[in-house]
Amino acid sequence: MTHSTNPGTNQDVDGEAAMHAASGYAASGPQFLGHPRGLATLFFTEMWERFTYYGMRALLVLFLADTARGGFGLEDKIATAIYGLYISASYILCLPGGWIADRLIGARRAVWHGGILIAIGNALLAIGSSTPTFYGGLMVIVCGVGLLKPNVSTMVADLYPEGGGRRDAGFTIFYMGINLGAFLGPIITGLLAQHYGWRPAFAAGSILMIAGLIQYRAFQHHLGEAGLRISDAHGTHTAVATRRGWLTVGALAAGLVLVYLLVLTGVVRIDPLTLAQTAGVLLAVIAIGYFAYMFLFAGLNGVERKRMLVILFLFVGCALFWAGFEQTGASLNLFAERYVDRTIDAFDFVIPTAWFQSLNAVFILIFATPFSMLWVALAKRNLDPSAPAKFGLGLVLLGLGFLFMVAAASIVARGEQAMPYLLVLTYLLHTYGELCLSPVGLSYVTKLAPSRFVSQMMGVWFLATSVGNLSAGLLSGMFETDNLAAMPAQFMNFVYFIVGAGVLLLLLSRPVKKLMGGIK
């Protein structure tokens, strides 16, 4: 995912951009290429965290569905439901992670403890021969991501209290670390999984997260005061408020541990598919309830109501986009494993399935700048599409990408293996769609929100992303793996639905733009 001026990957930057507004303290000490030395510390911390996240994400569904090499051998719909729950939780838990840092421990300690949890969680995946241990590892990882992911970006902002172009340049460098980690993770873990098995691949994520933590600790003195501040918004940072905050965190942690122990001992049995479906309904109810409250009871004036309609429009577009885009690690991942000819005869080499998961990061690095230049050039001619139009265009490109999967599935339905370039072209168009939609999302939502509700919009955006991520896992499970003849039509349904939604958003973009009340 990208920020409006900076290259990123997948859903990172929209979420992390929510933290950019944090003002802070400049890091003292020497400079590096015109930037605070602390930027390098945060660059490598985030790079290894993203390596761990995307490396494991590329393997998760493959491991859960594997029946031949020591995986769990789960049905596809169960494996993809777990995938959806995992990636959805990774984003929704950034909200309490940001709150814990703001109110209780500060961003710097949150990043440290989050990294420790990520390393422990991946170690549990590596040693977890039983499903409870493995799922416990996933729970620990998402808690760690929730602590680390939003707060490392906050500290980057803290390094540049003056804001402006220098901070934008700093974030550009930082996002290169995100992309580098997202590229290297699937490359290295995929190679390890193919040649040495699943456990060494999961262990690599733990080891390299530990490496990131070592350098973070060793060079944190370059961060100056960044990440040390604990918020005192509205005078709430008192001993009573702090004690209450820790009691809340402790109660939630105890609740998670209790649920895990009940599952571990067999007292409670959880069906991942049912859990994912229930979570999806719950997230949808929360979203509907929130917007209903805003329209009916939040005391909005006429202009604010119109702008809230635009936010609802963007919320739906965001959820739809990620429901399709996150097929990357689910249905498309399984398709690459089973039905793509990955053999390079000239080198007697089989391309690891996980390597396809690195394509998005590569394409982001290649095309983020050209897309940014395109929008600037169009803006000079007053042709720059509005935010609603870019959302519609992003969905259309995402949907058109699935046409290549229709072609690939048609080949498979004839009893042949599909060529890798069809999957590559799918990911290319999906990245183009991301570059249209992702940079403008949170930026416009926070601009459109009433000033007294701006901070809540970060939560709304995480909620939209989580709804999309969870839906991706559930939708992927609808593919009939034992009926190859039906697969082309199933991918074509993605084309019809997503392109149709994108065209509808494009048609509505002009009247929706009028509701924005001059916001650009």
Side-chain angles (χ1 to χ4, degrees), residues 444-473:
Y444 273 88
V445 167
T446 52
K447 289 178 185 178
L448 291 163
S451 58
R452 59 194 181 280
F453 295 113
V454 169
S455 61
Q456 292 183 20
M457 288 304 105
M458 179 186 71
V460 169
W461 204 246
F462 275 125
L463 181 60
T465 302
S466 293
V467 169
N469 290 346
L470 189 58
S471 300

Side-chain angles (χ1 to χ4, degrees), residues 99-413:
W99 182 87
I100 288 170
D102 281 344
R103 300 288 186 233
L104 299 176
I105 63 176
R108 190 178 301 189
R109 290 174 63 194
V111 168
W112 172 251
H113 293 300
I116 291 173
L117 290 176
I118 292 170
I120 292 172
N122 279 274
L124 289 173
L125 301 188
I127 65 174
S129 57
S130 66
T131 52
T133 304
F134 189 88
Y135 296 154
L138 292 180
M139 290 174 59
V140 173
I141 290 172
V142 297
C143 291
V145 172
L147 276 175
L148 187 150
K149 181 172 154 41
N151 294 306
V152 69
S153 190
T154 298
M155 287 202 292
V156 175
D158 283 352
L159 295 175
Y160 303 90
E162 76 282 2
R166 185 166 174 261
R167 187 168 77 169
D168 285 345
F171 270 107
T172 297
I173 297 171
F174 178 69
Y175 292 139
M176 291 298 179
I178 291 175
N179 283 300
L180 187 56
F183 168 73
L184 291 174
I187 293 293
I188 294 175
T189 61
L191 201 61
L192 288 171
Q194 181 163 295
H195 292 284
Y196 301 102
W198 302 111
R199 306 303 175 178
F202 290 133
S206 180
I207 292 168
L208 290 170
M209 187 68 253
I210 291 171
L213 287 170
I214 291 172
Q215 72 83 33
Y216 178 73
R217 198 70 160 187
F219 298 107
Q220 66 174 333
H221 58 280
H222 291 309
L223 296 172
E225 299 296 313
L228 297 179
R229 183 171 55 112
I230 298 176
S231 175
D232 190 23
H234 310 298
T236 59
H237 184 48
T238 63
V240 173
T242 301
R243 191 181 309 115
R244 194 173 296 153
W246 278 117
L247 286 173
T248 301
V249 172
L252 291 173
L256 285 174
V257 172
L258 177 61
V259 170
Y260 177 69
L261 290 175
L262 291 174
V263 173
L264 186 65
T265 56
V267 175
V268 173
R269 294 187 178 276
I270 295 178
D271 174 39
L273 182 58
T274 301
L275 179 61
Q277 293 169 341
T278 303
V281 171
L282 178 61
L283 291 177
V285 168
I286 291 172
I288 293 169
Y290 177 80
F291 281 105
Y293 166 79
M294 292 300 293
F295 285 115
L296 298 175
F297 305 111
L300 303 181
N301 60 36
V303 172
E304 290 172 337
R305 286 178 185 273
K306 291 179 181 179
R307 290 177 177 173
M308 190 57 62
L309 279 173
V310 181
I311 292 175
L312 176 59
F313 178 94
L314 299 180
F315 180 98
V316 173
C318 174
L320 288 174
F321 182 85
W322 295 117
F325 186 92
E326 280 298 338
Q327 296 302 312
T328 297
S331 63
L332 301 188
N333 209 9
L334 291 171
F335 187 93
E337 171 77 3
R338 297 166 179 170
Y339 307 122
V340 172
D341 182 3
R342 295 178 285 112
T343 302
I344 302 177
D345 293 326
F347 298 98
D348 192 25
F349 178 73
V350 178
I351 301 171
T353 302
W355 283 18
F356 289 98
Q357 302 295 298
S358 291
L359 289 172
N360 178 246
V362 174
F363 291 147
I364 287 285
L365 288 170
I366 294 172
F367 294 108
T369 298
F371 263 78
S372 178
M373 293 170 64
L374 173 64
W375 302 137
V376 171
L378 290 174
K380 290 180 179 178
R381 296 168 173 80
N382 293 320
L383 297 174
D384 187 25
S386 65
K390 286 179 179 177
F391 266 59
L393 182 58
L395 282 169
V396 169
L397 289 168
L398 176 72
L400 291 177
F402 281 105
L403 281 174
F404 294 109
M405 292 309 303
V406 173
S410 299
I411 293 171
V412 171

Side-chain angles (χ1 to χ4, degrees), residues 474-515:
L474 292 172
L475 288 171
S476 183
M478 296 172 66
F479 280 86
E480 301 175 35
T481 54
D482 57 347
N483 186 3
L484 297 183
M487 195 176 293
Q490 290 172 323
F491 277 118
M492 196 67 204
N493 287 337
F494 274 90
V495 178
Y496 290 143
F497 182 75
I498 297 173
V499 171
V503 170
L504 180 61
L505 294 189
L506 284 172
L507 292 175
L508 293 174
S509 63
R510 185 164 292 183
V512 169
K513 182 180 179 181
K514 293 179 181 179
L515 298 174

